Amino acid sequence: MKKLYVLLLILILFVFPRSSVHADVAPPESPPGANLVPGSGATQVRMIAETVTLTISKDPVNPREAIAKTQAVFTMRNLGDQEEKMRARFPLSFFNGNSDGMGNFPEIKSIAVKINGKTIPTKREMQPFFNSEMSYHERAEIPWTVFDITFPPAQDVTIEVAYPVNGFGYYPYEVFKYILETGAGWNGTIGAADIIIRFPYQVNQQNVWMKDVYGYSAATSGGAISGNEVRWHFEELEPTWENNIMVVVVTPSLWEAILQETDTVTKNPNDGEAWGRLAKAYKEILLQKHGELRTDPAGREMYDLSKSAYEKCLALLPNDSLWHYGYANLLWSHYYFDLYFGNQADVQEILPRTLSELETALALDPNNQQAKDLLTEISYSIPEAVKMEGDKFILLGLTATPIPPTPYAVLTETPEPTPTLPVQMEATPTLQVSVAPTKTPTTNPNPICGSAFILPALFSLIFVLKRRRDKI
């Protein structure tokens, strides 16, 4: 009985992840960039201004990841009438004494410091962590870069700090942070602060995830998108943990692939493979760790772009089994997570289209294992749609009458084309399949009621958790 309760709990966490919990284990973090911390004791030195720029690029060691070249320029002013000498410091690991979430304590590997334009020597030291508002910590001391600095009275001193930081997260996303709260140790407020995230291409809400971020803490609001940058500006800032910056970005190599394939299909609209690669790239951005799609407006836009690109690909390459599977995989994620779990009617006939594409994929290549795996998953998720008899699949979802409790419609002989698709779809071959007798629909289409949902969903959960990232 205890095991059953555990399975049901897992199922609940999986079915309702968007509105209630982040049901996934967080990826290991990388140490973020941070503001300078003054030496021990009170100081009359104020941070008059700071400009921090994180220049994002793909990681040359692993193109599926990203790095940020970080440059922070601080203008400091001694408001007192006496010269101050101190050993300023910069955190090389997590400023609050915690680990990356996996018990590891990674460090920023290299850092350069300039004072008034002149490079100065630095030293690594273990010192107490920054006393943030979080009481929990995993170690009493952390590594710091420390350097000696003198602040004459009533004079500005410029400090430049440069270092690389790694992003963290699940492909195709990378997360970058910048910690402003460590600047609270200086005298008074931070007069003006500009945080700039710079990219090698134009920024939009498709490649920078600004809101409704599933699987991570909330991204920092208030960032202004302009050209290839996202900017935050603060004045008279008394920094706390609430002012720390976090941004979630699409892995640069993947977005660069979208730009490249978009250019290819613009120059050669009859290149079916390029349309397929473009559709797949958009789908990679859309699909989250367990197969659910992004639900923010930019995510919906990319779903339409991926769907349209797949249809253009298949209009040019109607006999390619793998691209039929790739299209079905996109449609299934939309149907299962958005419509089925959302208890929404399938007015656009997404499920029948999914089954039709898989039917075609296997007619063209009976050994297409990815198509077989997806049909197996559907059979466990929605037995009323696909029935397995030995090694054969009976596509009940293509019958004339929808089967409760699944709220899907039936694919008509001439479906309406996607509005954004300028190329007329060609007819694709279909398999002759045996059809089981259908049932009379009920008035309650809710798929999240009773054991008819629970057991198939448990099997589906196992399949979804075991699925690997699709190649098509």
Side-chain angles (χ1 to χ4, degrees), residues 175-290:
V175 180
F176 290 93
K177 292 183 177 181
Y178 189 82
I179 307 302
L180 285 169
E181 68 174 289
T182 55
W186 300 99
N187 185 278
T189 62
I190 299 176
D194 289 281
I195 313 300
I196 304 167
I197 314 293
R198 185 171 293 157
F199 296 82
Y201 38 72
Q202 187 167 353
V203 179
N204 56 49
Q205 294 198 19
Q206 294 177 0
N207 53 37
V208 177
W209 204 348
M210 301 294 289
K211 57 184 179 179
D212 300 328
V213 181
Y214 171 64
Y216 303 100
S217 301
T220 305
S221 61
I225 293 177
S226 177
N228 67 330
E229 295 179 346
V230 182
R231 289 174 169 259
W232 287 264
H233 178 74
F234 305 91
E235 293 186 2
E236 302 302 328
L237 177 65
E238 296 181 359
T240 69
W241 64 271
E242 295 177 310
N243 303 118
N244 296 336
I245 301 294
M246 189 187 89
V247 62
V248 183
V249 308
V250 172
T251 301
S253 60
L254 180 55
W255 191 255
E256 288 169 355
I258 284 182
L259 296 177
Q260 179 180 343
E261 299 302 344
T262 299
D263 182 66
T264 299
V265 298
T266 300
K267 295 176 179 177
N268 184 6
N270 293 321
D271 188 338
E273 290 291 333
W275 280 114
R277 293 192 299 268
L278 178 61
K280 177 180 177 292
Y282 273 120
K283 184 175 70 175
E284 283 192 48
I285 297 177
L286 283 168
L287 288 179
Q288 304 308 292
K289 187 172 177 60
H290 296 309

Side-chain angles (χ1 to χ4, degrees), residues 335 339-340 343-356 382 384-385 395-413 415-416 438 441 445:
Y335 174 80
L339 303 183
Y340 188 74
N343 195 25
Q344 299 181 32
D346 188 6
V347 295
Q348 294 183 336
E349 304 175 343
I350 300 298
L351 181 60
R353 170 59 69 188
T354 301
L355 299 178
S356 178
I382 310 176
E384 297 86 359
L395 307 185
L396 303 174
L398 293 180
T399 58
T401 304
I403 303 168
T406 310
Y408 57 77
V410 178
L411 182 66
T412 59
E413 294 184 0
E416 295 182 3
T438 61

Side-chain angles (χ1 to χ4, degrees), residues 10-46:
I10 293 173
L11 175 61
I12 291 170
L13 292 176
F14 180 70
V15 171
F16 304 105
R18 291 177 180 161
S19 60
S20 55
V21 296
H22 291 160
D24 206 352
V25 176
E29 293 196 22
S30 298
N35 274 359
L36 293 170
V37 178
S40 59
T43 178
Q44 292 296 311
V45 179
R46 183 189 182 203

Side-chain angles (χ1 to χ4, degrees), residues 401-462:
T401 304
I403 303 168
T406 310
Y408 57 77
V410 178
L411 182 66
T412 59
E413 294 184 0
T414 55
E416 295 182 3
T418 303
T420 58
L421 177 61
V423 182
Q424 182 64 38
M425 287 289 294
E426 298 183 15
T428 55
T430 58
L431 286 173
Q432 296 295 324
V433 296
S434 57
V435 178
T438 61
K439 302 178 183 178
T440 303
T442 65
T443 57
N444 178 18
N446 189 348
I448 312 182
C449 295
S451 60
F453 165 76
I454 294 295
L455 291 178
L458 281 173
F459 283 114
S460 172
L461 174 60
I462 296 172

Side-chain angles (χ1 to χ4, degrees), residues 272-347:
E273 290 291 333
W275 280 114
R277 293 192 299 268
L278 178 61
K280 177 180 177 292
Y282 273 120
K283 184 175 70 175
E284 283 192 48
I285 297 177
L286 283 168
L287 288 179
Q288 304 308 292
K289 187 172 177 60
H290 296 309
E292 68 276 14
L293 301 179
R294 273 178 58 171
T295 58
D296 60 300
R300 293 308 184 197
E301 292 173 3
M302 288 188 287
Y303 170 78
D304 291 336
L305 289 168
S306 181
K307 183 174 181 290
S308 177
Y310 268 123
E311 291 175 346
K312 292 172 183 176
C313 165
L314 292 171
L316 295 165
L317 302 172
N319 297 322
D320 192 307
S321 175
L322 287 176
W323 289 127
H324 281 285
Y325 159 75
Y327 184 29
N329 175 240
L330 172 72
L331 296 175
W332 168 245
S333 289
H334 171 48
Y335 174 80
Y336 190 55
F337 289 98
D338 296 338
L339 303 183
Y340 188 74
F341 280 157
N343 195 25
Q344 299 181 32
D346 188 6
V347 295

